Amino acid sequence: MARLEAGQPAPDFSLQADDGSTVGLSDLRGTTVALYFYPKDDTTGCTAQACEFRDAAADYDAAGVRVIGVSPDPLTSHEKFRDKYDLPFTLLSDPEHTAAEAYGVWVEKSMYGRTYMGVERSTFVIGPDGVLSAALYKVKPRGHAASVLDLVA
């Protein structure tokens, strides 16, 4: 799938959230969204990234930006991850990787000579009109929440 770019409409999705609700992008119209895709709950990089978003939550709130994390992990994993690190934002479960594919982040990866499909750590800033204002692929977990905040504040 081709990479998304700023100025394109953000692909809609409808996924289950860690609080049991269903969240669709169309439900978030009128709100700026920082939608970040990450590979796996409670791993070193993903935890660092989530905790940085947590620590900047007041700044994101002040900027009127809703942070949402997405990974293929099941809801039970998201609930444990959220509770363990006191994450104040929504985590969405994408086990069929439909949203990840729509955003071009379900990619072939390689580790220790083995190739597999997985999520490429990426973030999308979606304006209140549903249009992408930023599409950031292959991001590093540390320092990323502050970089995204600079784009939206």
Side-chain angles (χ1 to χ4, degrees):
M1 163 139 221
R3 299 287 194 177
L4 298 174
E5 297 178 4
Q8 291 181 294
D12 199 6
F13 57 80
S14 183
L15 298 172
Q16 285 212 291
D18 57 334
D19 65 1
S21 66
T22 299
V23 174
L25 183 59
S26 58
D27 302 330
L28 302 171
R29 283 290 170 105
T31 303
T32 300
V33 177
L35 182 71
Y36 83 96
F37 288 84
Y38 65 98
K40 188 157 181 55
D41 290 337
D42 212 7
T43 56
T44 304
C46 297
T47 299
Q49 184 179 25
C51 289
E52 286 188 9
F53 275 113
R54 176 201 63 204
D55 295 346
D59 295 326
Y60 275 94
D61 287 345
V65 177
R66 179 157 176 200
V67 174
I68 297 178
V70 183
S71 88
D73 291 312
L75 291 176
T76 53
S77 177
H78 281 346
E79 292 164 5
K80 289 177 188 171
F81 187 47
R82 175 198 66 210
D83 293 347
K84 182 175 181 178
Y85 295 101
D86 196 26
L87 303 178
F89 50 84
T90 302
L91 298 176
L92 301 178
S93 179
D94 188 20
E96 303 298 320
H97 44 81
T98 53
E101 287 182 25
Y103 281 79
V105 302
W106 185 252
V107 299
E108 185 175 275
K109 299 172 89 174
S110 177
M111 185 183 293
Y112 306 118
R114 183 178 76 88
T115 60
Y116 60 97
M117 295 300 289
V119 170
E120 178 178 88
R121 189 182 312 278
S122 303
T123 299
F124 301 87
V125 178
I126 304 162
D129 57 358
V131 174
L132 293 168
S133 59
L136 310 168
Y137 291 91
K138 286 189 171 184
V139 301
K140 301 289 184 209
R142 287 181 174 73
H144 181 63
S147 297
V148 173
L149 188 59
D150 286 345
L151 294 173
V152 298

